[in-house]
């Protein structure tokens, strides 16, 4: 049987999604809570491996178990949440007899990145404060540069686990939320390690005149990570949604 989890979390206090020996992570905390509730070990597989400080509104993960748990799909999230910190919530769990893989069955993923031009303590975990002037028109226009199917090696961090660097980006846009807030949304079939933060960092450099939009096509074709801008801060990034054909 497969357990399919929908999870939201504030990643501020965690060293990312993936379990680590000497660090507190989202995966590690949920597996600990499951062990305390059921007395059984599970190994969660997440659809996206968010970095330290990155958040999720609807992370999907699965675990395969051999037999029944003796607890319902309605009861299990409540029990797990009672053992988790308030910055991690299990939104729901689906019990399925059909084979399911949170990562490989996903057909698309969507992230958002929020920047603010005026600092507020209430935004500090989920927005990145931009301390320099930007050209908003250039920022809005720059999103279209990445609306394509291409090899995004240049705009990523090295990761030996990824064998396909071609990403099909179907949504890439900035929206003005209010006079102090802008939000970027990007959707693709998959993402490379650090890709969204790299793209945001690049677009911010374009908006402040540190690089020209005409450079981007060449940078993509070169597949050279030295051509990327500094990565944007993790705190503004949220994994918003995972898309599947037949689940959730």
């Amino acid at each position: 049987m497969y357990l399919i989890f929908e999870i939201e979390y504030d990643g501020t206090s965690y060293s990312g999604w993936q379990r680590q020996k000497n660090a507190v992570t989202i995966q590690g905390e949920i597996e600990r809570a499951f062990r305390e509730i059921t007395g059984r070990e599970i190994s969660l597989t997440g659809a996206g491996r968010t970095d330290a400080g990155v958040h999720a509104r609807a992370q999907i993960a699965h675990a395969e178990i051999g037999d029944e748990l003796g607890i319902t799909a309605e009861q299990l999230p409540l029990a797990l949440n009672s053992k988790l910190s308030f910055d991690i919530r299990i939104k729901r769990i689906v019990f399925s007899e059909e084979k399911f893989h949170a990562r490989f069955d996903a057909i698309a993923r969507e992230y958002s990145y929020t920047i603010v031009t005026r600092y507020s303590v209430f935004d500090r975990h989920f927005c990145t404060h931009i301390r320099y002037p930007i050209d908003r028109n250039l920022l809005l226009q720059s999103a279209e540069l990445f609306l394509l199917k291409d090899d995004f090696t240049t705009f990523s961090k090295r990761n030996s686990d990824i064998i396909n660097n071609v990403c099909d980006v179907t949504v890439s846009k900035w929206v003005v939320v209010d006079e102090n807030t802008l939000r970027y949304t990007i959707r693709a079939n998959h993402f490379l390690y650090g890709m969204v933060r790299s793209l945001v960092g690049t677009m911010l450099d374009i908006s402040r005149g540190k690089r020209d939009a005409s450079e981007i096509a060449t940078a993509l074709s070169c597949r050279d990570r030295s051509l990327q801008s500094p990565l944007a801060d993790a705190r503004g990034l949220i994994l918003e949604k995972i898309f599947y054909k037949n689940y959730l």
Side-chain angles (χ1 to χ4, degrees):
M1 183 169 71
Y2 291 84
L3 306 183
I4 305 171
F5 295 69
E6 183 177 355
I7 309 156
E8 66 179 11
Y9 50 85
D10 172 353
T12 303
S13 301
Y14 298 92
S15 297
W17 162 264
Q18 194 166 6
R19 184 194 319 112
Q20 300 177 39
K21 281 187 177 181
N22 299 311
V24 181
T25 67
I26 305 297
Q27 178 187 5
E29 285 299 284
I30 297 171
E31 290 174 349
R32 173 196 56 75
F34 191 91
R35 184 169 58 250
E36 292 179 6
I37 291 295
T38 68
R40 296 168 63 169
E41 298 282 349
I42 59 167
S43 179
L44 283 175
T45 298
R49 299 176 184 177
T50 52
D51 287 344
V54 176
H55 320 291
R57 200 180 307 277
Q59 167 76 284
I60 303 298
H62 82 272
E64 188 174 0
I65 60 172
D67 51 22
E68 297 294 332
L69 286 172
I71 186 171
T72 68
E74 291 74 26
Q75 294 169 331
L76 186 53
L78 298 174
L80 291 173
N81 287 336
S82 73
K83 298 291 185 179
L84 291 167
S85 173
F86 288 113
D87 48 12
I88 305 175
R89 290 291 91 177
I90 309 300
K91 297 170 73 173
R92 61 173 170 150
I93 297 176
V94 175
F95 291 4
S96 176
E97 296 295 339
E98 295 184 35
K99 189 175 182 180
F100 176 84
H101 198 287
R103 181 181 176 192
F104 297 135
D105 288 350
I107 58 173
R109 297 152 173 85
E110 183 172 294
Y111 286 85
S112 71
Y113 194 97
T114 304
I115 63 172
V116 292
T117 56
R118 180 180 296 172
Y119 179 78
S120 166
V121 295
F122 298 106
D123 295 330
R124 70 189 188 280
H125 289 170
F126 305 104
C127 303
T128 294
H129 178 216
I130 303 302
R131 296 175 172 83
Y132 44 79
I134 59 173
D135 184 321
R136 292 193 176 199
N137 288 330
L138 283 178
L139 185 66
L140 297 176
Q141 293 165 12
S142 67
E144 296 182 9
L145 298 169
F146 302 109
L147 191 58
L148 75 173
K149 183 177 182 179
D150 209 331
D151 187 315
F152 279 82
T153 297
T154 297
F155 300 101
S156 69
K157 295 194 286 185
R158 190 177 302 279
N159 185 343
S160 59
D161 290 342
I162 296 176
I163 58 175
N164 178 17
N165 291 338
V166 175
C167 303
D168 187 5
V169 178
T170 56
V171 175
S172 176
K173 63 180 180 181
W174 284 95
V175 172
V176 178
V177 178
D178 58 42
E179 62 178 345
N180 299 310
T181 309
L182 295 98
R183 181 167 297 125
Y184 178 61
T185 299
I186 182 168
R187 184 186 302 171
N189 61 330
H190 75 110
F191 289 88
L192 307 186
Y193 186 39
M195 176 175 156
V196 181
R197 291 168 60 197
S198 177
L199 296 183
V200 172
T202 299
M203 289 184 283
L204 287 172
D205 271 359
I206 291 172
S207 75
R208 63 193 297 202
K210 293 191 70 174
R211 67 186 304 171
D212 195 275
S214 62
E215 303 171 12
I216 301 306
T218 301
L220 278 166
S221 64
C222 288
R223 302 174 188 176
D224 181 354
R225 291 185 175 90
S226 69
L227 299 177
Q228 68 177 296
S229 295
L231 270 63
D233 195 278
R235 76 188 69 194
L237 183 58
I238 298 176
L239 173 58
E240 293 284 355
K241 189 173 182 180
I242 313 293
F243 296 84
Y244 298 91
K245 286 183 178 179
N246 300 318
Y247 288 91
L248 306 168

